[in-house]
Amino acid sequence: CVVVSDLSDPHNQHFLRGHDGPITSLDMSKDGKMLASGQVGENSDVIVWDAENKSLLYRLSTHEHGIAKVAFSHDSRFLLTVGDAIDKSLYVWAFVDGKIAASAKGTPLPESGVTAAVWGGFERDIKKRPTNRYILATAGQKQVVIWIYDPSTGKLTPERCQTGAQVRNYTCLAFSDDGEVLFAGSESGDLSAFSVRNRSLLSCLPVCSAGLLTVNLVDHFLITGGGDGSITVMTGVTAANDSYAAAGARGPSMQVVSRGRGQGGIKSVSIINGRDALIGTDKSYLYRCQIIGGGAELSLKLVSESHAAGVIAVGFPPDVSDHVVSSAEDGSVRVWDLGDYSVKARCEGKAQAKALGGGAHNVHHATSLAVAVGCVMTGWTDGDVRCFDEETGEHLWTINNAHRGGVSCLCVAPNQAFIVSGGEEGDVRVWDVRSREMLCHLKEHTARVTSTAVMKDCQTAISASRDRSALCWDLQVRSGTVQCGRPAFTHLYTPVLTSQIPHLQLMHIVAPYLSLVYVSHNRLCQCIPTPLVLPRLSFYLPYLPQLYPLQPTPLLFPLLPAFSPSHCCSLAFCQHERRVSAHTQRMGGINSLALHQNMVNTVTVGQEKKVTYWDLREEQPVRVIDKAHAGSYGEAMEGLATAISHDGKLVATGGTDQRVLLWDFATGKLVVTGIGHSGDVTGLSFSPDDKQLVSVGKDGMVFVWNIYR
């Protein structure tokens, strides 16, 4: 969707919903009355919006694959739409009737697609007088094309600019105020000036590194933005005594008057009030700056910021509803103030510097997070668990190599004493928060663990995995002693078929006050030492089922020698972490699991493309919602995220259909559908007061939904 926000009031936002794919281009008409947006995807439409009424005016559905650029003419009478490299088409639309006024396909549009398109007002005659013909320009790989559009005949005439020996991939365009010069920025970071009249290159000026991404003009000042984050304001874009009419005429004499720098490459510069500018970067920072008369050093004021890649995890601090934490694939972790939607803290870990190679998105990032009192715990793709201060974002501590292959999920116990993490290879591990030592290692999943949860008693945990299973774990360590009287066996030379406690291995028995010593999960359990050690005593084995009443597993012990039945003994035992139940989905892995506040029910979504309700006391699901998430043709879509409100009345789910669904937990009926994301919904979290629901997605958006009851 397109978000229209009031700069003076962040809560005053309007959502223009009409696209079903990522929006690739946006432009506002010069009179401020219309807004055009284009998308990529199956429905590669261009939508023209009424900016004042926030309503749809036109839906232009001619392009076949995707929209590269949209641009309004200087008088807002026409709209230029340019398709992407696959579409390879260009249209001029007239707003008198909303129909196509002119079009072009194929050559001279570049094979790799158009990267810039701009209108230049009316074409001028030899005496520099405006005619009734419009001039516009497009640019791309190794070429700049100037077009003349005649509205009286509907003819669109292109002509390529001569660049000589210079070869550039052009990224942005702007016409000078007098219409005599066309400025083009390139990937090499230089600014080329072309004579509009002669279609020839006048000059080339190096401006920045990492490519020139945007160029704009206001009051004879040229503003450029670079991929290195630099903003440059130059003067001398026109010359009173120079028309650049003659071939080989020198270009404009440019002088730098001020510079500034922002976070990330400068993608757009929009002029407001004639002298101020809104500056957007590819790291999703939005600045406001006085461009004209602001001094040699530009002062950039941060207006807002967001994640620059898909957001994959979100969570609230305990008992705090006005702050929320999110993490994204660009390596950023942010703490948001929901009062004004500003960033309260940025959590930056050393893993962000561990580049995987090639691009801002190829860095290690936090795949999961858990918010405790005063701190944010995050699990990263490099296998580490990192903790940050919630107030300042300061890095507090790290558990190195918590999971080989990366941490896939994370949760903190209600008592804040330990955390439970899941790994890409199927491991579930419990860590002490104070010492950062591993308390136990649970290995039964055979694929990536997608969710973990801890019950209120802090003795039971649940893990879900892409191996289709959800396992319930008893984390409590039990120990005790069982007093044994005289065993009454008629013969001791018969094999004994008995029961075995899970994860229990008999080591030896000691007398006369005997203790049982065994190993659980490779840990040696100590006993009270006594002088006499008898390694093999078969008649004490029948007492083992008394120690802990579990489903027995038969074990055949070999013949053991007899022992005098006159001895009395006590058996000491210690039971470690174990799996107590397992629930398996019929088809496909589980992507997300949410635990109900009653500690009995769970809800899962996953590759089975259903919403499944479970009772931990029963083997089979208690409710299944088929095709909960559906595509435009009614096909079932995969669920990726789920959450249950703290009062247990609502269930939220999100998935690849880009929708957020709210369900009544008791009845399983759909309450409302939230439409806004333009990418997969990857994370959901209810505020502790259950008045808001926050959703995050692959589109890089963080949506805050108000819940009214």
Side-chain angles (χ1 to χ4, degrees):
C1 69
V2 178
V3 182
V4 181
S5 181
D6 190 334
L7 292 177
S8 60
D9 182 8
H11 292 277
N12 184 13
Q13 295 181 352
H14 297 274
F15 300 92
L16 308 181
R17 298 181 174 94
H19 293 287
D20 59 2
I23 297 174
T24 54
S25 186
L26 195 68
D27 192 37
M28 177 74 76
S29 63
K30 303 304 182 287
D31 57 11
K33 295 181 179 180
M34 292 181 291
L35 178 69
S37 57
Q39 72 166 72
V40 67
E42 183 179 355
N43 300 314
S44 53
D45 297 344
V46 174
I47 298 179
V48 181
W49 309 88
D50 185 320
E52 184 177 357
N53 298 322
K54 313 297 187 298
S55 60
L56 190 149
L57 287 177
Y58 302 101
R59 180 181 290 273
L60 313 177
S61 304
T62 305
H63 291 279
E64 297 178 354
H65 185 267
I67 308 301
K69 293 293 176 181
V70 295
F72 283 98
S73 62
H74 71 286
D75 56 4
S76 303
R77 290 183 57 195
F78 298 98
L79 174 69
L80 173 68
T81 64
V82 185
D84 60 12
I86 298 176
D87 186 86
K88 293 181 182 177
S89 62
L90 179 151
Y91 295 93
V92 176
W93 303 81
F95 289 118
V96 175
D97 52 10
K99 296 182 178 179
I100 297 174
S103 65
K105 289 190 176 183
T107 308
L109 298 175
E111 289 292 327
S112 59
V114 172
T115 56
V118 64
W119 292 81
F122 292 113
E123 184 188 23
R124 298 174 183 268
D125 60 18
I126 194 169
K127 294 184 178 180
K128 299 185 181 180
R129 294 174 300 191
T131 66
N132 65 344
R133 295 185 299 272
Y134 290 78
I135 188 169
L136 56 148
T138 59
Q141 187 176 19
K142 301 178 182 179
Q143 70 175 41
V144 174
V145 180
I146 294 179
W147 305 72
I148 302 299
Y149 168 60
D150 189 341
S152 62
T153 63
K155 187 176 181 181
L156 191 61
T157 306
E159 186 177 352
R160 291 186 61 169
C161 293
Q162 301 302 314
T163 60
Q166 176 175 292
V167 178
R168 296 287 188 273
N169 293 331
Y170 297 98
T171 56
C172 51
L173 295 169
F175 282 94
S176 63
D177 294 334
D178 60 8
E180 294 289 337
V181 182
L182 174 63
F183 295 97
S186 71
E187 292 180 354
S188 57
D190 49 32
L191 182 69
S192 300
F194 293 90
S195 169
V196 173
R197 188 176 303 277
N198 298 325
R199 314 292 198 260
S200 60
L201 178 66
L202 296 173
S203 63
C204 185
L205 174 69
V207 177
C208 65
S209 60
L212 200 59
L213 304 182
T214 184
V215 58
N216 207 335
L217 284 105
V218 57
D219 269 346
H220 307 300
F221 287 92
L222 185 73
I223 303 105
T224 64
D228 58 358
S230 63
I231 305 164
T232 306
V233 180
M234 294 178 283
T235 187
V237 297
T238 60
N241 299 324
D242 220 340
S243 67
Y244 318 115
R250 65 181 180 83
S253 178
M254 309 291 292
Q255 295 180 350
V256 176
V257 295
S258 56
R259 295 181 184 273
R261 187 171 293 274
Q263 289 284 336
I266 309 300
K267 295 289 287 186
S268 66
V269 176
S270 299
I271 306 300
I272 54 177
N273 301 328
R275 62 181 215 171
D276 291 354
L278 284 177
I279 301 168
T281 76
D282 59 8
K283 290 188 178 295
S284 296
Y285 288 91
L286 181 65
Y287 300 96
R288 184 165 183 165
C289 175
Q290 182 179 341
I291 292 290
I292 309 302
E297 187 68 27
L298 297 177
S299 177
L300 275 63
K301 179 182 178 181
L302 182 64
V303 175
S304 66
E305 61 180 285
S306 183
H307 296 288
V311 188
I312 50 181
V314 63
F316 279 89
D319 302 323
V320 177
S321 298
D322 57 355
H323 294 156
V324 69
V325 186
S326 61
S327 65
E329 293 175 332
D330 61 357
S332 62
V333 179
R334 286 180 167 91
V335 182
W336 303 88
D337 187 337
L338 296 183
D340 57 3
Y341 306 136
S342 62
V343 174
K344 179 183 175 183
R346 302 177 189 87
C347 305
E348 298 181 354
K350 294 180 180 179
Q352 293 176 342
K354 300 178 181 178
L356 300 179
H361 297 244
N362 294 325
V363 297
H364 285 300
H365 59 269
T367 60
S368 52
L369 61 88
V371 189
V373 176
C375 62
V376 179
M377 302 176 192
T378 56
W380 292 68
T381 53
D382 64 351
D384 293 350
V385 174
R386 294 177 174 82
C387 182
F388 303 91
D389 187 282
E390 182 194 345
E391 293 290 331
T392 64
E394 178 187 359
H395 178 254
L396 300 178
W397 49 261
T398 298
I399 299 176
N400 294 314
N401 301 317
H403 288 273
R404 186 175 60 182
V407 182
S408 56
C409 58
L410 191 73
C411 74
V412 62
N415 62 5
Q416 317 282 305
F418 61 91
I419 56 178
V420 180
S421 62
E424 290 287 341
E425 297 185 342
D427 302 72
V428 177
R429 293 174 177 174
V430 182
W431 308 87
D432 183 82
V433 172
R434 185 181 297 273
S435 65
R436 270 86 72 186
E437 293 182 355
M438 186 173 67
L439 300 178
C440 64
H441 179 195
L442 310 172
K443 175 61 175 174
E444 287 198 31
H445 288 298
T446 59
R448 176 166 60 94
V449 182
T450 55
S451 297
T452 55
V454 180
M455 293 191 179
K456 292 179 181 178
D457 60 4
C458 298
Q459 297 177 2
T460 308
I462 303 174
S463 60
S465 169
R466 293 295 288 269
D467 64 3
R468 302 187 296 118
S469 68
L471 306 182
C472 189
W473 306 91
D474 185 353
L475 302 180
Q476 190 176 16
V477 177
R478 292 177 172 85
S479 61
T481 303
V482 175
Q483 297 294 329
C484 302
R486 292 185 177 183
F489 293 119
T490 56
H491 50 84
L492 300 177
Y493 291 95
T494 302
V496 179
L497 185 64
T498 183
S499 300
Q500 181 191 30
I501 298 177
H503 311 303
L504 189 70
Q505 298 176 14
L506 180 67
M507 295 295 291
H508 62 264
I509 300 177
V510 295
Y513 297 100
L514 300 177
S515 298
L516 181 65
V517 182
Y518 60 91
V519 169
S520 175
H521 292 297
N522 298 322
R523 295 185 181 184
L524 178 64
C525 298
Q526 302 294 331
C527 69
I528 301 174
T530 56
L532 179 61
V533 177
L534 301 176
R536 296 176 297 176
L537 288 172
S538 64
F539 60 84
Y540 288 108
L541 295 177
Y543 292 107
L544 294 182
Q546 304 175 24
L547 304 183
Y548 202 73
L550 297 175
Q551 185 70 24
T553 301
L555 179 66
L556 184 64
F557 282 87
L559 288 174
L560 299 175
F563 179 72
S564 172
S566 62
H567 286 81
C568 294
C569 69
S570 63
L571 299 182
F573 67 93
C574 182
Q575 175 67 43
H576 277 265
E577 306 82 8
R578 61 192 179 88
R579 175 175 61 81
V580 295
S581 68
H583 296 80
T584 304
Q585 203 165 254
R586 287 176 60 90
M587 296 177 61
I590 299 175
N591 290 330
S592 179
L593 176 146
L595 176 64
H596 195 274
Q597 57 91 25
N598 62 13
M599 302 294 125
V600 173
N601 296 105
T602 62
V603 177
T604 61
V605 296
Q607 294 176 313
E608 198 174 33
K609 300 178 181 179
K610 302 176 182 179
V611 176
T612 307
Y613 290 66
W614 302 87
D615 188 319
L616 295 178
R617 299 165 297 186
E618 300 181 19
E619 183 179 356
Q620 298 300 322
V622 296
R623 179 185 294 130
V624 176
I625 303 175
D626 292 323
K627 291 187 177 181
H629 291 270
S632 56
Y633 299 104
E635 71 277 17
M637 304 291 282
E638 189 172 336
L640 299 177
T642 185
I644 300 178
S645 62
H646 296 80
D647 61 8
K649 296 181 179 180
L650 296 174
V651 178
T653 61
T656 55
D657 64 342
Q658 306 174 6
R659 290 180 171 91
V660 176
L661 306 182
L662 206 60
W663 308 84
D664 183 279
F665 178 83
T667 64
K669 293 183 178 180
L670 181 64
V671 177
V672 68
T673 300
I675 300 175
H677 284 283
S678 58
D680 297 349
V681 179
T682 54
L684 295 164
S685 182
F686 284 93
S687 62
D689 60 8
D690 287 333
K691 293 182 179 180
Q692 291 179 316
L693 171 68
V694 176
S695 63
V696 298
K698 286 285 188 179
D699 55 0
M701 301 295 291
V702 178
F703 275 80
V704 181
W705 308 85
N706 291 324
I707 300 175
Y708 302 99
R709 308 196 194 189

